[in-house]
Amino acid sequence: MKSQFFSIFFLWFFCTGFLLASSDQPVKRIYNTARINPHAPVIDGDIYDESWQKVEWSSDFIQRSPDDGAKPSFESAFKVLYDHKNLYVAIRAFDPEPDKIETRITRRDELDGDWVQIALDTYFDQRTAFSFAVNAAGVRGDEAITKDGENDDANWDPVWYVKTKIDAKGWTAEMRIPFSQLRFGEKEQQIWGIQVQRKIFRKDERSSWQHIPRTAAGFVSLFGELHGIRAIKASRRIELLPYTVGQIDQSAKVAGNPFATGRESKFNGGLNGKMGVTSDLTLDFTVNPDFGQVEADPSELNLTAFETFFAEKRPFFIEGRDILRFKLTGGDGGFSSDQLFYTRRIGRSPQYYYQAQPGEFVERPQNSSILAAAKLTGKTKSGVSVGLFNALTQEENAQIDRNGTRSKVPVEPQTNYFVGRLQKDFDQGNTIIGGMVTATNRDLSAAHLKILPRAAYTGGFDLMHQWRNKTYYVNFKTAFSSVRGERRAILNLQRNSRHYFQRPDADYIEIDSSATALNGFSATLDFGKSGNSNWMYALGATLRSPGLDLNDLGFLRSGDTSMQFVWVGYRINNPVFVFRNFGINFNQWTSWNFGGDRLSSGANINGWGQFDNYWRFNYGFARNGVRLSASALRGGPSFRTEGTWRTWTHLITDTRQKLRLGGGFSGSRSDDGFSRRWSAHLDFIFRPSNSLSFSIKPFFSVNYDDFQYRGTEKTDNRFHYLLARLKQKTAFYIMRIDYSITPDLSIQYYGQPFISSGKYSKYKVVRQARATRLQNRYTELYGIDDANANEVALDLDGDFLVDAIYRRGFNFREFNSNLVLRWQYHPGSTLFLVWSQSRFGSDSHGNFSYSDDFSELFSTDSENIFLVKYNRWFSL
């Protein structure tokens, strides 16, 4: 009955949505530019040069937010000129109160205050664009926009020129954008997409030249058109960025350890480059790259069976990454990180750990070194997006000292990584077909490294079709993986947390100790409505086979899963009642394994919005049903846990003010009567001047888990899966200081002290992992608590003998900080001065004391890195 009800409901919802959706699109505006010869305008913010008189102003902007479609508070206008090398843009932002124009100085791409932007679809493929923005203080921002506005890459940093000026009429921006920084086809006459936008900071208002309603499906495809550019040639540009870096590492000196002398100096160098292979394909390359200026990953304590997904922060791997992206599933759910290419694999930590023998000292590398990497990206005249990537990392060795005799042991093999991605647009981007392949190949000359796969290959195919002005879409993706190596490597793979083939209750899979390959596949199909009304929705299904494994070059949390999902959203984009805008969403999902067992089910309602006093908020409520976890016992039988209720909310005050305050709360409670989690955080953001800002965000969380995994013990040929009650508290804060002396000179500080403590009690041994009644799933164990040794001794079989000893708890303390001075002393060229500090401490008593733990953390020895990095940009 329920299934019939849902089927009728979604059929009705689809039909009415299809009939009610408007197919009307705003009429495309056209701007006609002109060529200037011989005198180009001087880029000084003064837009009264004689050359600007060759073209007319274009104005009549329309508000996009908060009141979509309304007349803007102040008018804006622009002009565009060109010559054989550059595009010139003048923008006039009228303002009757120039003294109220907000001129905030920030780092590049962190625009704040009043700003203007021009975006150019130079391929005219109605999917990609290049954006150039500047605020009233002269801070630049630039982005590469892809997927019709779904993604934007702020790490694309072209070399271009802009000046701004405030006058009695408001403010102006004058730009010079070299054609060498753009990509376009070889044509006698160019037609480009164009959009110009403006932000009035004090009104939190955005307006645009080509009106694109906020409910519209698409963005770049709805740009206006730039006509009149003729007889320009794409530059076969060659850009080189050599660098040198000097580094001093200071840490605690350890007596007798020849590797811990307390001080180490390093000097290094390398080369980054960019070359135009054709008018629409660009080769980026790096030799011996250095990323010493990159901010450290946030601290965490992971008690799960799964790897943590960390965001990429290294510039070479971020810029242009969208063309090399293949996610198995869209959206923000539990599958959202699964992908064929996870760039953090390149330069990863060594996978083999050499255990020091008595009398030995060992120096272990932290990461594998990248010898060279290159990527070829672009889009051909026929609409084929191309992405090719290759990287080579060197063999890494642990250095061993035994009584003054040095030796080395390989801990990470030399590895080559390859990625290839193609996509083809049809029907003005309404249909997109693509494919992707990856290959990882390791040199396993060292016998002990043959625990790793020798090679891993993945591939994928994707197809998306949109219709009715991109209001509706259907999306299909499939992928495969094949990992190859010696028997022990594949055996280890079958037993890891992504697979757990050894689960005794999984009769549809089994360990194959003779296998030399592991193969798997995935597929996703979803359908939805993405715009042209206030209602949107999506429904679909996705699956991961038990043998799917992507983690040599991609990321996969786990296989052996299938899921159906439904999402419905409603948006109000114009002011109504006490809101400037708001939205509400409904999500529902159910998942199964390949044996037909239901793993989980749930639903949530969440929403977001902005009040008319400019405060923003979000909230949500969720219900998760009974869960069957394949990872709870780390390879044991799947374990049943009770359903949970969950809620969350966040509120932040007016972001235009110098002082912003905010905070959030989330909490969940299990039906088992004990397990619960809650966390709270506060936001303090203060900008005392236009160039200086402080922020501090303290977090505190409590985690009570009645079924935290502790270990697996074997007695009398029986496996005992041990769980315990965990009471954990975690506290940390994130502090940032940003001081932008000029748009090209800034000082930035980041610091995060992190402490987490947990104590175990009420140890249990699992008896019937899937029992419906909670009491039948386990038996509580008798334990002898030794407070002096911070240990607990357990009797597993009732014979009054100690069978296992475990720590009473844990205390984890970590501090990471970065202080970075950046000076762009010449276009494209930067000097970095960096100080990084880290501290680490641990204990096993499990007692939480905010003051004592922080005191302990900052009394531990610190490791300091002082770094100077200098690079220089050359255009040949």
Side-chain angles (χ1 to χ4, degrees), residues 366-539:
Q366 299 299 309
N367 300 96
S368 52
S369 301
I370 303 170
L371 296 175
K375 54 186 175 183
L376 179 71
T377 58
K379 193 164 191 175
T380 67
K381 300 174 188 177
S382 59
V384 178
S385 296
V386 178
L388 298 175
F389 174 92
N390 199 83
L392 179 67
T393 59
Q394 74 175 18
E395 178 183 274
E396 294 296 335
N397 295 279
Q399 303 295 324
I400 303 167
D401 184 285
R402 185 178 179 85
N403 299 323
T405 302
R406 295 288 177 95
S407 60
K408 61 183 181 180
V409 173
V411 292
E412 179 70 18
Q414 185 181 80
T415 307
N416 191 83
Y417 302 93
F418 172 80
V419 180
R421 176 78 156 125
L422 295 176
Q423 281 187 306
K424 176 72 169 73
D425 298 353
F426 298 93
D427 186 24
Q428 298 182 328
N430 286 316
T431 301
I432 304 165
I433 298 176
M436 183 166 178
V437 294
T438 77
T440 305
N441 292 278
R442 297 184 175 93
D443 178 5
L444 300 180
S445 302
H448 62 274
L449 292 182
K450 292 182 180 179
I451 58 171
L452 301 175
R454 181 186 71 258
Y457 305 101
T458 71
F461 169 82
D462 56 342
L463 182 151
M464 184 180 72
H465 177 64
Q466 303 170 95
W467 66 95
R468 202 173 174 85
N469 290 322
K470 300 187 177 181
T471 301
Y472 298 94
Y473 72 89
V474 62
N475 184 46
F476 173 71
K477 292 184 177 184
T478 186
F480 74 88
S481 67
S482 181
V483 185
R484 303 170 187 180
E486 293 203 356
R487 293 178 180 179
R488 52 180 169 166
I490 303 304
L491 182 61
N492 289 340
L493 205 58
Q494 294 175 77
R495 287 174 170 168
N496 75 18
S497 62
R498 295 186 296 279
H499 307 289
Y500 286 140
F501 279 12
Q502 69 271 36
R503 282 173 284 150
D505 60 339
D507 57 4
Y508 56 96
I509 53 176
E510 61 181 4
I511 290 282
D512 183 356
S513 59
S514 65
T516 56
L518 182 66
N519 303 313
F521 67 92
S522 73
T524 299
L525 176 66
D526 63 291
F527 158 82
K529 178 176 178 290
S530 58
N532 287 328
S533 79
N534 298 103
W535 285 99
M536 293 174 283
Y537 56 83
L539 58 155

Side-chain angles (χ1 to χ4, degrees), residues 687-734:
R687 180 178 282 275
S689 70
N690 281 337
S691 59
L692 180 63
S693 70
F694 302 89
S695 71
I696 184 166
K697 299 183 179 182
F699 294 76
F700 182 75
S701 68
V702 173
N703 173 30
Y704 284 8
D705 187 350
D706 214 14
F707 304 105
Q708 176 62 48
Y709 177 78
R710 293 296 287 132
T712 300
E713 301 291 338
K714 186 176 182 181
T715 62
D716 299 326
N717 294 319
R718 288 182 55 200
F719 288 103
H720 303 274
Y721 304 100
L722 304 184
L723 305 174
R725 173 172 290 184
L726 170 65
K727 293 184 178 181
Q728 179 187 9
K729 295 180 180 180
T730 300
F732 65 94
Y733 65 84
I734 298 173

Side-chain angles (χ1 to χ4, degrees), residues 285-394:
F285 61 89
T286 182
V287 178
N288 193 32
D290 175 83
F291 305 108
Q293 77 277 14
V294 174
E295 187 178 284
D297 289 321
S299 299
E300 68 146 20
L301 181 60
N302 186 351
L303 298 179
T304 74
F306 303 110
E307 175 186 7
T308 299
F309 182 91
F310 285 111
E312 179 61 85
K313 299 180 180 181
R314 298 169 296 177
F316 179 82
F317 295 101
I318 297 177
E319 183 182 341
R321 64 181 171 181
D322 183 67
I323 201 170
L324 292 167
R325 180 179 285 140
F326 192 109
K327 284 193 170 187
L328 302 193
T329 310
D332 301 317
F335 285 140
S336 62
S337 298
D338 294 350
Q339 54 196 281
L340 298 190
F341 184 29
Y342 176 45
T343 54
R344 294 292 295 262
R345 301 294 179 209
I346 301 168
R348 69 190 304 166
S349 299
Q351 299 174 80
Y352 178 79
Y353 184 85
Y354 176 78
Q355 184 65 49
Q357 303 300 308
E360 291 182 343
F361 294 97
V362 180
E363 183 180 49
R364 299 179 179 87
Q366 299 299 309
N367 300 96
S368 52
S369 301
I370 303 170
L371 296 175
K375 54 186 175 183
L376 179 71
T377 58
K379 193 164 191 175
T380 67
K381 300 174 188 177
S382 59
V384 178
S385 296
V386 178
L388 298 175
F389 174 92
N390 199 83
L392 179 67
T393 59
Q394 74 175 18

Side-chain angles (χ1 to χ4, degrees), residues 29-51:
R29 303 183 68 182
I30 295 175
Y31 183 87
N32 289 290
T33 185
R35 191 176 190 125
I36 50 174
N37 190 29
H39 300 297
V42 177
I43 305 302
D44 56 6
D46 185 348
I47 57 176
Y48 297 104
D49 297 52
E50 183 178 349
S51 53

